[in-house]
Amino acid sequence: MKRLSPAHLIGLFPLGMMSLFFLGPLAFMIVVSFYKRDPLGFYDVAFVWDNYAKFFSSFYYTISMRSVWSSALGAVIVVLLAFPAIYIITDMKRRWQLFWIILLLSLMCLSEVILGFAWLILLSESSGIPKFMGWIGLWQDPHSLSPSFGAMIIGFVTLGFSLVALMFYPQLAQRDRSIEEAALTLGTSPPRVLTRVVLPNYRGAIIGAVVTMFVYFLGVFVMPTMLGRPQDWNMTVIITDKAVGDANMPLGSALSVIMLLFTLLIIGLLMLASRKEHRS
Amino acid sequence: MNSFLKRLFVALIAAGLILPFLIVAGVSINANSNISFPPTELSLQWYTVLFTDKDWLMPIRNSLAIAVVAALVSVSIALAANYVLWRLKSGFGRLVFALGIGPFMLPPIIIAMGASVFWAEIGMYGRIEATIISHGVFFVTLPLVIISRGFATLSDDVVEASRTMGATPWQTFRKVIFPLVLPYIVTGYALVAIISVNEYLISYMVSGFAVETLPIRIFNNVRYGYTPVVASAAMAFALLTVAVLLVLSMITDLLKLLGAPRN
């Protein structure tokens, strides 16, 4: 047998930690999703499909569709805003780039709870945008703009913006500007340069960012509960509600497993598509 | 787009990103106990409550304790994984690295749900250690990616030179590799610590009401009848976050660490 090198032994530490505390809980969640709920305790060991069967009711179907729709919308908006913004920012002086990076990092690090709270105030009748609009006379009868679907999407966008922007930053900062400049000096109009030169170059990165954000928004809890109405709540809120509120761990696990499979399917499709693109 | 429109566009985005904080800041120094903006009378009383009231001090202490240790866990996993990948460049190294990317690819709720059942089953649900390890493991992607940039800048010549001069792998690591990747390690540590302080869902699902962290406290306060102390708590942590990042930008080249070319 080949002797294990010290590097292999060092590798056992991250491997062990990730297997035990990342893969382990996921495996455990799959097991628990087949257990039976015990109304008096957490659950009884069993092997039943009941928890999965519940998913195929109109209640969960509606919530699933709603989650997919709000996550997709949020993902598209956030990328539509972040890509051009970073594109412009990377051409700025380093001092301004640093300002933006610190702003983006601060936002990325800030709690969803704090961001949600900030928007709650900003959209409220007593202190935010509605009051200001009333004050300048643009809105006769100002009222609170949250909770609403729009408020929730604003929350999603503020939450995801920094992540997407920081994902685009290295690529756009290191881009070869000579091609764009050449196209411009040859008389191509700036919008045409954007659609014909810039965007095709970053198609993969843009699609990747949309998918990453979509998956991320699927699992967001605070924004829907703070800024959305109950009819805007996504699957994450329902899972948390079942698992913690009703102490129904098996059902919460089963719903999470379905979300896990859905996520893996999307990531798989993305990888397949990018491989095809590479080959062609 | 001409340059005026470009500037207008980024200025609007900057305003949209900064505006929420200005409002929270305004509310936090408002003497009035109703949450309103603009403030009518200024006072720092809510900050005094924040730093003297046991109900707020305990969550702050919990959050900070979790963050300091969780970031250590995260960075040590990330450093070891990067070292292995750099040293072996084999399937094993890639496997370890891929495992570290995993948590970032999944919706946070799946991770939180898994952690919740896992810690419940091994009897550690509601213990602070559970939150620490979960944060340490789930935020590993960030230092992993950042430290990998550090390893990418290591030139083979330097390492080769140290080896031909008779250094053991451990000496090479300690004297050559570690100092070169240190800025990346510090950045990774700081980011995980900040994110851990501000994380809600995993903390809530892993420890419920047993280990109340600051975001849990703020969230409950907002949902079930709030006081302006929430605004001062939010503001204090926003300022702490910005302060740590400013210090970081002074001691390291943040732009380079995040992937910009050197000028």
Side-chain angles (χ1 to χ4, degrees):
Chain A
M1 204 183 111
K2 222 174 86 181
R3 248 187 87 230
L4 281 177
S5 71
H8 277 101
L9 290 177
I10 293 170
L12 290 180
F13 169 64
L15 187 70
M17 289 296 279
M18 295 313 288
S19 307
L20 189 61
F21 298 113
F22 169 55
L23 296 182
L26 290 184
F28 210 83
M29 184 177 81
I30 297 172
V31 173
V32 171
S33 71
F34 291 102
Y35 284 1
K36 253 166 88 170
R37 182 191 180 195
D38 175 6
L40 299 173
F42 262 167
Y43 40 69
D44 292 326
V45 176
F47 185 79
V48 292
W49 289 92
D50 295 10
N51 305 307
Y52 288 94
K54 283 200 181 99
F55 176 75
F56 296 97
S57 65
S58 69
F59 174 68
Y60 290 109
Y61 175 78
T62 315
I63 293 165
S64 307
M65 287 297 119
R66 193 194 290 158
S67 304
V68 168
W69 160 238
S70 58
S71 306
L73 183 68
V76 169
I77 295 177
V78 86
V79 172
L80 277 178
L81 289 174
F83 184 83
I86 286 297
Y87 188 80
I88 298 169
I89 289 163
T90 46
D91 279 343
M92 291 176 168
K93 291 200 176 85
R94 268 178 97 82
R95 182 182 285 272
W96 278 106
Q97 287 191 40
L98 191 61
F99 161 79
W100 270 97
I101 288 298
I102 292 178
L103 176 64
L104 291 171
L105 281 174
S106 313
L107 264 177
M108 185 187 83
C109 297
L110 270 178
S111 179
E112 212 186 325
V113 174
I114 296 177
L115 287 175
F117 173 65
W119 277 109
L120 205 63
I121 297 175
L122 205 52
L123 297 172
S124 75
E125 197 177 325
S126 63
S127 46
I129 295 168
K131 191 177 176 187
F132 179 72
M133 301 276 276
W135 184 64
I136 60 170
L138 270 177
W139 196 354
Q140 291 302 325
D141 176 29
H143 56 85
S144 190
L145 291 168
S146 77
S148 67
F149 182 74
M152 184 180 85
I153 294 294
I154 290 178
F156 277 10
V157 172
T158 332
L159 193 62
F161 187 89
S162 50
L163 266 175
V164 176
L166 289 170
M167 271 163 70
F168 284 136
Y169 183 74
Q171 288 186 18
L172 288 179
Q174 291 171 15
R175 77 181 187 271
D176 180 4
R177 287 155 174 89
S178 59
I179 308 166
E180 296 155 34
E181 280 159 17
L184 284 171
T185 43
L186 285 171
T188 319
S189 67
R192 224 177 142 78
V193 173
L194 183 75
T195 53
R196 290 292 169 87
V197 183
V198 180
L199 289 181
N201 245 335
Y202 295 101
R203 201 172 62 188
I206 292 171
I207 296 173
V210 171
V211 172
T212 309
M213 272 303 106
F214 172 71
V215 169
Y216 180 64
F217 290 152
L218 275 182
V220 159
F221 172 78
V222 175
M223 291 303 178
T225 38
M226 262 192 183
L227 299 170
R229 299 160 301 177
Q231 62 263 39
D232 302 319
W233 286 356
N234 62 4
M235 190 56 108
T236 297
V237 179
I238 305 301
I239 292 175
T240 316
D241 187 45
K242 296 289 166 200
V244 182
D246 297 352
N248 192 344
M249 290 285 199
L251 181 58
S253 298
L255 295 174
S256 302
V257 171
I258 292 170
M259 198 192 270
L260 177 66
L261 293 175
F262 182 68
T263 308
L264 293 178
L265 180 78
I266 294 206
I267 294 172
L269 286 177
L270 180 72
M271 283 167 89
L272 205 71
S274 74
R275 199 167 295 171
K276 257 191 192 153
E277 195 166 297
H278 265 286
R279 231 180 271 151
S280 69
Chain B
M1 257 199 287
N2 66 37
S3 74
F4 172 73
L5 282 178
K6 278 183 185 172
R7 266 187 227 149
L8 184 70
F9 176 70
V10 280
L12 281 177
I13 288 191
L17 299 178
I18 296 171
L19 195 61
F21 299 102
L22 294 181
I23 304 282
V24 178
V27 172
S28 75
I29 49 168
N30 191 0
N32 198 325
S33 68
N34 293 324
I35 291 197
S36 65
F37 187 88
T40 41
E41 210 178 311
L42 302 183
S43 155
L44 287 175
Q45 57 176 319
W46 309 118
Y47 287 91
T48 318
V49 176
L50 177 71
F51 293 113
T52 49
D53 187 347
K54 197 171 83 321
D55 288 349
W56 285 97
L57 278 179
M58 195 63 180
I60 291 176
R61 215 200 63 184
N62 282 340
S63 281
L64 291 178
I66 291 169
V68 167
V69 191
L72 204 62
V73 173
S74 226
V75 164
S76 48
I77 295 175
L79 182 61
N82 268 300
Y83 178 76
V84 173
L85 182 66
W86 174 78
R87 204 47 224 279
L88 297 176
K89 295 184 177 68
S90 66
F92 178 69
R94 277 197 292 272
L95 170 77
V96 174
F97 199 85
L99 263 178
I101 300 288
F104 185 71
M105 312 275 284
L106 301 180
I109 180 66
I110 295 178
I111 295 199
M113 186 69 222
S116 179
V117 244
F118 177 79
W119 294 114
E121 185 60 21
I122 63 170
M124 280 178 67
Y125 183 88
R127 295 260 299 268
I128 197 166
E129 295 90 333
T131 314
I132 290 172
I133 294 176
S134 289
H135 275 188
V137 166
F138 298 141
F139 301 145
V140 78
T141 312
L142 211 63
L144 194 73
V145 173
I146 292 176
I147 296 173
S148 81
R149 292 214 176 100
F151 273 90
T153 60
L154 283 181
S155 106
D156 287 344
D157 301 346
V158 184
V159 179
E160 199 54 45
S162 111
R163 249 185 242 152
T164 46
M165 287 167 91
T168 60
W170 169 240
Q171 282 169 329
T172 308
F173 178 80
R174 208 162 48 99
K175 298 272 166 115
V176 181
I177 301 172
F178 188 75
L180 286 172
V181 294
L182 188 64
Y184 298 86
I185 295 177
V186 173
T187 309
Y189 181 91
L191 290 182
V192 174
I194 299 171
I195 290 182
S196 165
V197 162
N198 288 300
E199 199 279 335
Y200 173 81
L201 192 57
I202 295 171
S203 310
Y204 173 62
M205 297 277 287
V206 164
S207 300
F209 300 101
V211 183
E212 196 181 35
T213 62
L214 194 77
I216 295 179
R217 173 87 196 159
I218 296 178
F219 184 78
N220 289 342
N221 223 293
V222 171
R223 277 198 106 182
Y224 312 109
Y226 49 49
T227 67
V229 184
V230 179
S232 64
M235 214 51 227
F237 272 75
L239 288 176
L240 178 75
T241 304
V242 176
V244 172
L245 289 169
L246 280 176
V247 170
L248 208 59
S249 76
M250 276 180 234
I251 56 174
T252 63
D253 185 350
L254 259 187
L255 294 183
K256 196 182 123 212
L257 290 178
L258 290 165
R262 196 181 267 283
N263 281 320

